[in-house]
Amino acid sequence: MHRSYIVSTISIALVLFLLGSIGFAMANIYTSTERMRGSVTMIVELDDTLSEAERDSVAVRLAESDMVASLKFVSKQEKLEDKEFQRVFALDIKDALGENPLPDSYDVTLSALSSDKAALEAFAEEARKIKGVSMVSYPEILLDEMHSALDTMQLVMAIFGVALLVVALVLLNNTVRLAVYSERELINTLKAVGATRWFIIRPFLGRGALQGLIAGLVATLLLGGALYALNDSFPEFGLLSQLELIGVVTAAMVVIGIVVAVLFTLPAVLKFVNMRSEKIHLY
């Protein structure tokens, strides 16, 4: 293989590795932000007079909404025995008042759909109308601020990702064009002996596909090594446990490497195939 192709293959591999690394990181950040969106809890307090069957009926009504990721029943006795609650109040409320004033409730973990403020308010209003529900509360201001911050973060990520992709494609295009440029004399010779356009183009496309495949595999090895090293240093992140995401990213690197190498090789070769012979020497 010509030295220029070796250099260009390494360059393509490094660009693919960069794209894969950023893609893997952005996917993790996006997953984390969606997990944060679904980590907010809404408290649905119940009337004291409800029977167990009626409480279950409330749970069924709540669970019907896509706004609910999960829910958990918390009895008044559990709240009274909660260590954090006891630490804050530092007294036995039941002894002081003669009864437990805390209500039974459901802790409703909201799904990522809670980012839609109007939909969340509509769900809260529906929950308040359920028979046996005395009060519905959630950190509305905090929730608005959190979703606003996460929306901004995802927008910045998207802009950064698009900008990086454009820069990477420009670098790949220049790299492939330089590799083809080094073979311009060979193209001119083939034209001089009467070779057809397809006869000249075909081996370049095949070599481009092979180049992209090799570059993608090298990028995959680099990404795997980087993830292994990071996982060894920060095992709490569980990077190597994300096998599905790793598989998608590595497959994407190989496919992008092949497709981009072929697509960028074709116009570069056609440029010299269509160029007059006397101009190739001057180019």
Side-chain angles (χ1 to χ4, degrees):
M1 184 179 287
H2 197 281
R3 180 181 176 183
S4 62
Y5 272 90
I6 296 176
V7 173
S8 64
T9 301
I10 295 174
S11 299
I12 294 173
L14 293 176
V15 173
L16 290 175
F17 168 66
L18 176 62
L19 282 175
S21 300
I22 298 299
F24 184 83
M26 290 179 65
N28 273 278
I29 293 174
Y30 181 81
T31 301
S32 298
T33 57
E34 290 303 295
R35 190 181 299 118
M36 290 176 65
R37 291 185 191 276
S39 63
V40 179
T41 300
M42 173 183 287
I43 307 299
V44 179
E45 297 182 358
L46 307 175
D47 293 334
D48 289 337
T49 58
L50 292 185
S51 65
E52 184 175 346
E54 289 172 326
R55 291 200 306 265
D56 292 342
S57 177
V58 172
V60 171
R61 290 283 304 278
L62 291 172
E64 290 175 350
S65 174
D66 293 335
M67 198 70 66
V68 177
S70 64
L71 54 83
K72 174 186 176 183
F73 176 71
V74 183
S75 68
K76 60 171 64 180
Q77 188 61 31
E78 287 181 74
K79 294 180 180 180
L80 191 64
E81 295 173 354
D82 183 74
K83 292 182 179 180
E84 182 64 21
F85 177 81
Q86 293 177 353
R87 186 187 67 81
V88 171
F89 285 91
L91 56 84
D92 192 327
I93 293 181
K94 188 173 182 179
D95 288 344
L97 300 178
E99 62 177 353
N100 183 354
L102 303 175
D104 293 332
S105 65
Y106 280 108
D107 285 355
V108 180
T109 302
L110 301 174
S111 68
L113 296 176
S114 62
S115 58
D116 186 335
K117 184 177 180 180
L120 178 59
E121 291 177 347
F123 169 68
E125 188 60 32
E126 290 178 5
R128 292 186 182 99
K129 294 178 181 178
I130 297 176
K131 183 179 179 181
V133 173
S134 61
M135 188 173 73
V136 174
S137 62
Y138 60 95
E140 185 174 355
I141 296 177
L142 176 62
L143 197 60
D144 289 342
E145 292 178 351
M146 182 189 76
H147 287 311
S148 177
L150 293 179
D151 288 341
T152 301
M153 183 186 300
Q154 290 185 342
L155 177 61
V156 171
M157 285 168 45
I159 294 174
F160 176 74
V162 171
L164 177 65
L165 180 61
V166 171
V167 171
L169 290 176
V170 171
L171 290 174
L172 289 174
N173 184 39
N174 289 337
T175 299
V176 172
R177 287 176 61 190
L178 287 174
V180 174
Y181 173 79
S182 66
E183 300 285 348
R184 68 191 186 285
E185 295 294 343
L186 174 60
I187 295 175
N188 193 41
T189 300
L190 291 173
K191 288 171 57 181
V193 298
T196 63
R197 287 160 58 92
W198 177 242
F199 183 85
I200 298 174
I201 294 171
R202 184 175 57 191
F204 281 95
L205 294 182
R207 190 184 300 180
L210 179 61
Q211 183 182 33
L213 175 62
I214 295 174
L217 294 176
V218 171
T220 296
L221 292 176
L222 291 174
L223 180 62
L227 291 178
Y228 180 83
L230 286 173
N231 188 75
D232 191 50
S233 301
F234 307 99
E236 62 274 13
F237 291 159
L239 297 177
L240 295 184
S241 64
Q242 304 177 50
L243 297 180
E244 183 176 352
L245 177 58
I246 293 174
V248 171
V249 172
T250 53
M253 287 193 298
V254 174
V255 172
I256 291 174
I258 296 173
V259 172
V260 166
V262 171
L263 291 180
F264 287 164
T265 296
L266 181 59
V269 176
L270 284 175
K271 179 177 182 178
F272 291 110
V273 170
N274 295 328
M275 188 178 294
R276 294 173 59 179
S277 297
E278 61 270 19
K279 288 189 176 181
I280 289 181
H281 295 292
L282 300 174
Y283 189 82

